Amino acid sequence: MGKSLQTTHNTTAPSSGKSGLALRMLFLLGILLVMTTSFNPASNTHAATGAEIPTEGGTWTNPAISIVITPASNMPWFEASYTYDVNYAITRWAKSIIAYTDAYGSYYLRKLSFVTCVSGVNDTLCGTPDIRVQFIQSFGSESAGLGLTSLRIQQNSGIFVIPTTTTLAAYDPTNTTQLTDTDMFNIASHEFGHALGLNHATVSIADDGTFELMFLSYGQAVGNPRNSLEAPSTLDMYALSNVYDWLVNPSGFSGTGHFATVYSLPPGIAYGSVYPYSEQIQTLQDSINQLRLEILIVAVVAGFLLAVALVLGILLARKKPDQAQSVSWLIVGPPAPVEVCGYSEK
Ligand SMILES: [Zn+2]
């Protein structure tokens, strides 16, 4: 069952500056992104060919991006493990970047580093964070969302304005089904994609049959224990490599970021999810184990058939002497009379 997310881009007034100069310099284009989920059926019938993803039109200018997670501790609806889920969702982006750059280049993306802190634990390490992550019980059926990321982009420079704020719901919009750790992980991964500068991809399923992380709706049913971890796609990574192409410059960011641009994969990059190596190995091990199980089943069946053949053989062998006798009787029976006559051709 699909859930579509509504995205609203609201242009907000720039924050009031104290001086005219500051006002001019800080003329901000406010972009409010509302990632919401309703229970409208999402179309899963998009053809993956021609998949596109627009960017938000903003970039961070320091490759070290800091994130502070504020757990909703002591709230009855909050699970302590959500903090871990969000932290892992963020660090896993870096792992996917490693796997992607190994395959398709854009090595400079590895300069991106994500420093996560937990409020009340070690948030002083993060100073003034670029991104703040907080939790809410439910967005409610009106906004119908699972996650929301609001960000602002400095006008004409394409630079994100601190802070970007991500809000994650613990319950679905009907406030009846609680997110599993996998759900929380997936929603946090999606929202972090927005915080990095990606908008929504146009397809829900990649060419390899996996979910497109940046599709506007969550492709899995909230609360289902069989849900799987999603990963950024090669399309997401390709767009990201364009947002952060300034990283190739040793002196870092200068000038302006790129305007919002729609990207599609160039030939040579297969469209699929980019799982970290550890998970690729796990998938491989799982398939090897599956293969082992199948070999074991074949071996057991073969052994059974061999045993049956052996038993039949023994039974036949026990019967054989009788048969052999009767046969030998036939053979040993009175020899056909050989007529020896005195008649010769000589
Ligand atoms: Zn979204």
Side-chain angles (χ1 to χ4, degrees), residues 5 7 35 190-191 194 200 214-216:
L5 293 147
T7 307
M35 268 58 66
H190 173 98
E191 298 303 329
H194 288 311
H200 287 139
M214 294 312 295
F215 188 59
L216 81 170

Side-chain angles (χ1 to χ4, degrees), residues 2-7 35-37 40-47 51-54 186-187 189-191 194 198-206 210-220 230-233 235-236 271:
K3 299 170 177 57
S4 78
L5 293 147
Q6 303 161 341
T7 307
M35 268 58 66
T36 55
T37 305
N40 301 330
S43 168
N44 281 341
T45 55
H46 289 289
E52 293 178 334
I53 187 167
N186 286 335
I187 303 300
S189 294
H190 173 98
E191 298 303 329
H194 288 311
L198 303 178
N199 207 318
H200 287 139
T202 55
V203 303
S204 55
I205 305 284
T210 58
F211 292 105
E212 165 55 66
L213 178 69
M214 294 312 295
F215 188 59
L216 81 170
S217 76
Y218 184 40
Q220 309 189 67
E230 298 179 12
S233 72
L235 179 64
D236 308 336
Y271 184 28

Side-chain angles (χ1 to χ4, degrees), residues 193 217 279 329:
S217 76
E279 290 170 42
W329 277 356

